[in-house]
């Protein structure tokens, strides 16, 4: 990994194309990986809160979501290659999956929203395959059935849209129970896909 450190947070210095390739490497491996896409606000939380910093640094891939993060990297004289936002990474993966298939599971957003996102994906990305959906409003007792559903779906890439830092915490806590190959924390992306 080529890393740019911003105030102790290890951001991957990669282009969008390289980020997509890394996800395919994860899919080809035999274990789960976490991908976080912090914006400037979450970066600030990570800088001031050591637990959030440790959680961000625990990711297998950490990409610069916002222009602010890219700017910060420039100010400290260690510019990252380019902005790799969560929503753009997801869109690029959906596009790439028509040639190199990926099984996606959509988790998060208000009831009905991941289903709406799936309907839009079917129209906009005809080659993409969504194998399951679940809204992001649940209690602790629902978690086992949610994880079972994800594991039984055969999904390879799990999009987790619970808002930050909830999604990062959820992925960190459940990474080893999930049979997927990559979990991507992508905040408001479900609403954008459903929009
Ligand atoms: N969300 C969710 N479960 C929750 C909280 C939020 O599924 O318990 C969803 C919410 O519906 C929205 C997304 O997470 O689709 C992002 O939420 P928010 O805008 O609060 O987070 P941020 O964009 O600030 O990370």
């Amino acid at each position: 990994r080529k890393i740019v450190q911003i105030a102790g947070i290890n951001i991957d210095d990669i282009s969008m194309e390289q980020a997509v390739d890394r996800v395919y490497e994860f899919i080809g491996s035999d274990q789960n990986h976490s991908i976080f896409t912090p914006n400037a606000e979450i970066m600030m939380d990570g800088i001031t809160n050591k637990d959030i910093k440790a959680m961000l640094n625990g990711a297998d891939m950490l990409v610069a979501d916002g222009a602010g993060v890219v700017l910060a990297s420039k100010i400290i004289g260690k510019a990252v290659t380019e902005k790799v936002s969560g929503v753009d990474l997801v869109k690029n993966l959906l596009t790439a999956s028509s040639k190199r298939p990926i099984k996606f599971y959509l988790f998060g957003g208000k009831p009905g929203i991941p289903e709406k996102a799936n309907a839009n994906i079917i129209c906009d990305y005809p080659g993409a395959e969504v194998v399951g959906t679940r809204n992001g409003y649940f209690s602790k007792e629902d978690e086992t059935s949610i994880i079972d559903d994800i594991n039984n779906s055969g999904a390879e890439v799990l999009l987790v849209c619970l808002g930050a830092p909830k999604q990062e915490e959820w992925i960190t806590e459940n990474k080893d129970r999930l049979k997927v190959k990559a979990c991507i924390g992508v905040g408001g992306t479900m609403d954008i896909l459903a929009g």
Side-chain angles (χ1 to χ4, degrees):
R1 279 172 77 182
K2 196 174 160 216
I3 298 286
V4 169
Q5 212 181 56
I6 300 178
I9 298 174
N10 302 324
I11 301 281
D12 281 86
D13 183 15
I14 47 176
S15 65
M16 178 58 78
E17 201 185 327
Q18 290 167 323
V20 168
D21 285 346
R22 283 280 301 284
V23 176
Y24 277 104
E25 278 171 32
F26 292 164
I27 292 171
S29 79
D30 57 5
Q31 62 191 37
N32 190 7
H33 299 78
S34 53
I35 301 167
F36 299 152
T37 63
N39 60 18
E41 202 184 327
I42 299 307
M43 287 290 291
M44 280 310 297
D45 290 346
I47 289 164
T48 53
N49 178 320
K50 68 173 174 25
D51 294 334
I52 292 186
K53 181 184 278 181
M55 188 170 68
L56 293 176
N57 283 337
D60 297 292
M61 179 156 94
L62 194 65
V63 291
D65 189 84
V69 178
V70 177
L71 179 63
S73 76
K74 285 185 180 151
I75 289 169
I76 62 167
K78 294 183 279 187
V80 292
T81 308
E82 67 178 328
K83 181 180 111 175
V84 179
S85 75
V87 62
D88 287 344
L89 177 61
V90 169
K91 286 180 175 175
N92 276 274
L93 288 170
L94 286 167
T95 302
S97 74
S98 67
K99 290 213 176 80
R100 299 164 72 190
I102 298 174
K103 292 186 172 76
F104 293 93
Y105 191 107
L106 312 180
F107 175 37
K110 295 207 171 78
I113 293 296
E115 292 74 19
K116 206 159 165 233
N118 186 18
N120 286 341
I121 288 169
I122 290 167
C123 293
D124 298 342
Y125 303 91
E129 189 183 357
V130 173
V131 295
T133 57
R134 177 61 166 85
N135 71 67
Y137 293 83
F138 56 92
S139 61
K140 202 78 194 153
E141 300 86 74
D142 298 328
E143 249 175 33
T144 302
S145 77
I146 292 172
I147 289 169
D148 285 348
D149 191 56
I150 294 165
N151 286 343
N152 292 332
S153 73
E156 295 162 309
V157 171
L158 174 65
L159 305 185
V160 185
C161 305
L162 305 174
K166 191 171 178 187
Q167 62 210 5
E168 289 79 9
E169 285 163 1
W170 193 87
I171 292 170
T172 303
E173 193 182 319
N174 295 298
K175 189 178 168 191
D176 296 336
R177 295 169 68 192
L178 290 159
K179 287 189 196 145
V180 300
K181 300 299 172 61
C183 297
I184 317 183
V186 275
T189 294
M190 200 67 77
D191 294 313
I192 296 170
L193 291 174

PDB file of all heavy atoms in Angstrom, residues 108-110 135-137 161-164 166-167 187-188 190-191, ligand 1:
ATOM      1  N   GLY A 108     -28.605  -0.493   4.145  1.00  0.00           N
ATOM      2  CA  GLY A 108     -28.674   0.847   4.712  1.00  0.00           C
ATOM      3  C   GLY A 108     -29.696   1.727   4.031  1.00  0.00           C
ATOM      4  O   GLY A 108     -30.235   1.380   2.982  1.00  0.00           O
ATOM      5  N   GLY A 109     -29.959   2.845   4.636  1.00  0.00           N
ATOM      6  CA  GLY A 109     -30.973   3.767   4.139  1.00  0.00           C
ATOM      7  C   GLY A 109     -32.326   3.446   4.759  1.00  0.00           C
ATOM      8  O   GLY A 109     -32.500   2.397   5.400  1.00  0.00           O
ATOM      9  N   LYS A 110     -33.263   4.354   4.573  1.00  0.00           N
ATOM     10  CA  LYS A 110     -34.597   4.183   5.147  1.00  0.00           C
ATOM     11  C   LYS A 110     -35.333   3.029   4.453  1.00  0.00           C
ATOM     12  O   LYS A 110     -34.982   2.672   3.332  1.00  0.00           O
ATOM     13  CB  LYS A 110     -35.387   5.486   4.980  1.00  0.00           C
ATOM     14  CG  LYS A 110     -34.791   6.646   5.761  1.00  0.00           C
ATOM     15  CD  LYS A 110     -35.847   7.675   6.141  1.00  0.00           C
ATOM     16  CE  LYS A 110     -35.265   8.694   7.102  1.00  0.00           C
ATOM     17  NZ  LYS A 110     -34.413   9.707   6.418  1.00  0.00           N
ATOM     18  N   ASN A 135     -32.777  -2.481   4.721  1.00  0.00           N
ATOM     19  CA  ASN A 135     -32.696  -1.087   5.167  1.00  0.00           C
ATOM     20  C   ASN A 135     -31.828  -0.987   6.421  1.00  0.00           C
ATOM     21  O   ASN A 135     -31.507  -1.987   7.063  1.00  0.00           O
ATOM     22  CB  ASN A 135     -34.089  -0.499   5.380  1.00  0.00           C
ATOM     23  CG  ASN A 135     -34.774  -1.073   6.597  1.00  0.00           C
ATOM     24  OD1 ASN A 135     -34.342  -0.836   7.725  1.00  0.00           O
ATOM     25  ND2 ASN A 135     -35.821  -1.846   6.378  1.00  0.00           N
ATOM     26  N   GLY A 136     -31.440   0.227   6.753  1.00  0.00           N
ATOM     27  CA  GLY A 136     -30.458   0.441   7.823  1.00  0.00           C
ATOM     28  C   GLY A 136     -31.057   0.752   9.181  1.00  0.00           C
ATOM     29  O   GLY A 136     -30.346   1.287  10.045  1.00  0.00           O
ATOM     30  N   TYR A 137     -32.333   0.428   9.380  1.00  0.00           N
ATOM     31  CA  TYR A 137     -32.962   0.709  10.678  1.00  0.00           C
ATOM     32  C   TYR A 137     -33.297  -0.623  11.353  1.00  0.00           C
ATOM     33  O   TYR A 137     -34.147  -1.369  10.887  1.00  0.00           O
ATOM     34  CB  TYR A 137     -34.169   1.628  10.491  1.00  0.00           C
ATOM     35  CG  TYR A 137     -33.675   2.983  10.022  1.00  0.00           C
ATOM     36  CD1 TYR A 137     -33.411   3.217   8.675  1.00  0.00           C
ATOM     37  CD2 TYR A 137     -33.346   3.979  10.937  1.00  0.00           C
ATOM     38  CE1 TYR A 137     -32.865   4.429   8.243  1.00  0.00           C
ATOM     39  CE2 TYR A 137     -32.812   5.196  10.516  1.00  0.00           C
ATOM     40  CZ  TYR A 137     -32.566   5.407   9.172  1.00  0.00           C
ATOM     41  OH  TYR A 137     -32.020   6.589   8.756  1.00  0.00           O
ATOM     42  N   CYS A 161     -24.447   1.612   4.315  1.00  0.00           N
ATOM     43  CA  CYS A 161     -24.806   3.036   4.320  1.00  0.00           C
ATOM     44  C   CYS A 161     -25.629   3.334   5.570  1.00  0.00           C
ATOM     45  O   CYS A 161     -26.867   3.354   5.529  1.00  0.00           O
ATOM     46  CB  CYS A 161     -25.591   3.392   3.067  1.00  0.00           C
ATOM     47  SG  CYS A 161     -24.735   2.959   1.535  1.00  0.00           S
ATOM     48  N   LEU A 162     -24.939   3.520   6.697  1.00  0.00           N
ATOM     49  CA  LEU A 162     -25.625   3.799   7.966  1.00  0.00           C
ATOM     50  C   LEU A 162     -25.254   5.181   8.494  1.00  0.00           C
ATOM     51  O   LEU A 162     -25.584   5.512   9.630  1.00  0.00           O
ATOM     52  CB  LEU A 162     -25.245   2.740   9.018  1.00  0.00           C
ATOM     53  CG  LEU A 162     -25.458   1.265   8.654  1.00  0.00           C
ATOM     54  CD1 LEU A 162     -24.898   0.357   9.742  1.00  0.00           C
ATOM     55  CD2 LEU A 162     -26.949   0.984   8.455  1.00  0.00           C
ATOM     56  N   GLY A 163     -24.558   5.959   7.689  1.00  0.00           N
ATOM     57  CA  GLY A 163     -24.011   7.229   8.169  1.00  0.00           C
ATOM     58  C   GLY A 163     -22.706   6.978   8.919  1.00  0.00           C
ATOM     59  O   GLY A 163     -22.469   5.870   9.398  1.00  0.00           O
ATOM     60  N   ALA A 164     -21.860   8.003   8.996  1.00  0.00           N
ATOM     61  CA  ALA A 164     -20.569   7.883   9.686  1.00  0.00           C
ATOM     62  C   ALA A 164     -20.696   8.481  11.091  1.00  0.00           C
ATOM     63  O   ALA A 164     -21.401   9.475  11.258  1.00  0.00           O
ATOM     64  CB  ALA A 164     -19.495   8.610   8.898  1.00  0.00           C
ATOM     65  N   LYS A 166     -21.233   5.381  12.275  1.00  0.00           N
ATOM     66  CA  LYS A 166     -21.958   4.155  12.594  1.00  0.00           C
ATOM     67  C   LYS A 166     -21.589   3.013  11.639  1.00  0.00           C
ATOM     68  O   LYS A 166     -21.381   1.872  12.057  1.00  0.00           O
ATOM     69  CB  LYS A 166     -23.460   4.445  12.525  1.00  0.00           C
ATOM     70  CG  LYS A 166     -24.309   3.344  13.079  1.00  0.00           C
ATOM     71  CD  LYS A 166     -25.760   3.754  13.197  1.00  0.00           C
ATOM     72  CE  LYS A 166     -26.569   2.574  13.711  1.00  0.00           C
ATOM     73  NZ  LYS A 166     -28.005   2.838  13.691  1.00  0.00           N
ATOM     74  N   GLN A 167     -21.504   3.345  10.344  1.00  0.00           N
ATOM     75  CA  GLN A 167     -21.201   2.288   9.370  1.00  0.00           C
ATOM     76  C   GLN A 167     -19.799   1.722   9.566  1.00  0.00           C
ATOM     77  O   GLN A 167     -19.590   0.512   9.456  1.00  0.00           O
ATOM     78  CB  GLN A 167     -21.393   2.805   7.940  1.00  0.00           C
ATOM     79  CG  GLN A 167     -20.463   3.945   7.588  1.00  0.00           C
ATOM     80  CD  GLN A 167     -21.030   4.917   6.584  1.00  0.00           C
ATOM     81  OE1 GLN A 167     -22.183   4.805   6.179  1.00  0.00           O
ATOM     82  NE2 GLN A 167     -20.238   5.866   6.159  1.00  0.00           N
ATOM     83  N   GLY A 187     -21.788   6.054   3.436  1.00  0.00           N
ATOM     84  CA  GLY A 187     -22.764   7.041   3.874  1.00  0.00           C
ATOM     85  C   GLY A 187     -24.005   7.265   3.056  1.00  0.00           C
ATOM     86  O   GLY A 187     -24.883   6.412   3.002  1.00  0.00           O
ATOM     87  N   GLY A 188     -24.109   8.415   2.428  1.00  0.00           N
ATOM     88  CA  GLY A 188     -25.334   8.782   1.727  1.00  0.00           C
ATOM     89  C   GLY A 188     -25.482   8.193   0.332  1.00  0.00           C
ATOM     90  O   GLY A 188     -26.417   8.544  -0.395  1.00  0.00           O
ATOM     91  N   MET A 190     -26.529   5.345  -0.737  1.00  0.00           N
ATOM     92  CA  MET A 190     -27.792   4.633  -1.012  1.00  0.00           C
ATOM     93  C   MET A 190     -28.853   5.631  -1.466  1.00  0.00           C
ATOM     94  O   MET A 190     -29.614   5.359  -2.395  1.00  0.00           O
ATOM     95  CB  MET A 190     -28.261   3.908   0.248  1.00  0.00           C
ATOM     96  CG  MET A 190     -29.230   2.792  -0.036  1.00  0.00           C
ATOM     97  SD  MET A 190     -28.439   1.449  -0.930  1.00  0.00           S
ATOM     98  CE  MET A 190     -27.550   0.674   0.415  1.00  0.00           C
ATOM     99  N   ASP A 191     -28.901   6.798  -0.785  1.00  0.00           N
ATOM    100  CA  ASP A 191     -29.884   7.818  -1.163  1.00  0.00           C
ATOM    101  C   ASP A 191     -29.598   8.351  -2.565  1.00  0.00           C
ATOM    102  O   ASP A 191     -30.529   8.626  -3.322  1.00  0.00           O
ATOM    103  CB  ASP A 191     -29.871   8.968  -0.143  1.00  0.00           C
ATOM    104  CG  ASP A 191     -30.367   8.512   1.223  1.00  0.00           C
ATOM    105  OD1 ASP A 191     -31.406   7.837   1.277  1.00  0.00           O
ATOM    106  OD2 ASP A 191     -29.702   8.811   2.228  1.00  0.00           O
TER     107      ASP A 191
HETATM  108  N1  LIG B   1     -28.963   5.560   8.073  1.00  0.00           N
HETATM  109  C1  LIG B   1     -29.363   4.261   8.321  1.00  0.00           C
HETATM  110  N2  LIG B   1     -29.484   3.851   9.611  1.00  0.00           N
HETATM  111  C2  LIG B   1     -29.239   4.660  10.670  1.00  0.00           C
HETATM  112  C3  LIG B   1     -28.803   5.982  10.410  1.00  0.00           C
HETATM  113  C4  LIG B   1     -28.673   6.402   9.101  1.00  0.00           C
HETATM  114  O1  LIG B   1     -29.588   3.497   7.384  1.00  0.00           O
HETATM  115  O2  LIG B   1     -29.373   4.210  11.803  1.00  0.00           O
HETATM  116  C5  LIG B   1     -28.837   5.986   6.676  1.00  0.00           C
HETATM  117  C6  LIG B   1     -29.681   7.183   6.313  1.00  0.00           C
HETATM  118  O3  LIG B   1     -30.991   6.761   5.994  1.00  0.00           O
HETATM  119  C7  LIG B   1     -28.931   7.717   5.119  1.00  0.00           C
HETATM  120  C8  LIG B   1     -27.480   7.342   5.386  1.00  0.00           C
HETATM  121  O4  LIG B   1     -27.512   6.407   6.465  1.00  0.00           O
HETATM  122  O5  LIG B   1     -29.347   7.026   3.955  1.00  0.00           O
HETATM  123  C9  LIG B   1     -26.583   8.507   5.731  1.00  0.00           C
HETATM  124  O6  LIG B   1     -27.088   9.085   6.896  1.00  0.00           O
HETATM  125  P1  LIG B   1     -26.654  10.524   7.358  1.00  0.00           P
HETATM  126  O7  LIG B   1     -26.974  11.508   6.290  1.00  0.00           O
HETATM  127  O8  LIG B   1     -27.204  10.752   8.715  1.00  0.00           O
HETATM  128  O9  LIG B   1     -25.081  10.316   7.490  1.00  0.00           O
HETATM  129  P2  LIG B   1     -23.851  11.133   6.899  1.00  0.00           P
HETATM  130  O10 LIG B   1     -24.151  11.411   5.435  1.00  0.00           O
HETATM  131  O11 LIG B   1     -23.762  12.338   7.754  1.00  0.00           O
HETATM  132  O12 LIG B   1     -22.694  10.195   7.070  1.00  0.00           O
END
